[in-house]
Amino acid sequence: MSKLTKTDIVDMIAPSVADRPYVERMMMEAFGAIANSVADGEEVSIHGFGIFQPVHMAARNARNPRTGESLIAPAKVKVRFKPAKALQDMVNG
């Protein structure tokens, strides 16, 4: 299994669109807009790709695996990605 990095994505897009620095800037702007919207509690939907959703997790009882001590894990917000049907169909062939 290989890994696709930001650099790989920029290299794939740049030849057909514009120069490499421009593509990298636009990609970082897009990722920043998605991250800021989710951080503000908004759901971000990209048609044909998927939905990024902030999910609120309640505080819960937990245990320190090293010491066995009980503690309370604080409430937090996680990000969930739900792929669009088109993406899911593409992945599953």
Side-chain angles (χ1 to χ4, degrees), residues 33-78:
I34 292 168
N36 289 333
S37 294
V38 173
D40 289 342
E42 297 176 39
E43 184 176 282
V44 178
S45 177
I46 302 172
H47 182 74
F49 187 70
I51 300 171
F52 295 91
Q53 300 169 310
V55 179
H56 300 279
M57 307 299 289
R60 61 183 175 83
N61 292 324
R63 186 180 65 82
N64 182 329
R66 261 191 206 156
T67 64
E69 175 188 2
S70 290
L71 54 102
I72 296 180
K76 61 183 174 182
V77 177
K78 288 187 167 188

Side-chain angles (χ1 to χ4, degrees), residues 12-39:
M12 289 175 8
I13 297 171
S16 62
V17 177
D19 62 347
R20 192 177 191 296
Y22 175 77
V23 171
E24 189 169 358
R25 240 182 2 262
M26 291 301 102
M27 195 168 83
M28 293 313 296
E29 287 291 327
F31 290 159
I34 292 168
N36 289 333
S37 294
V38 173

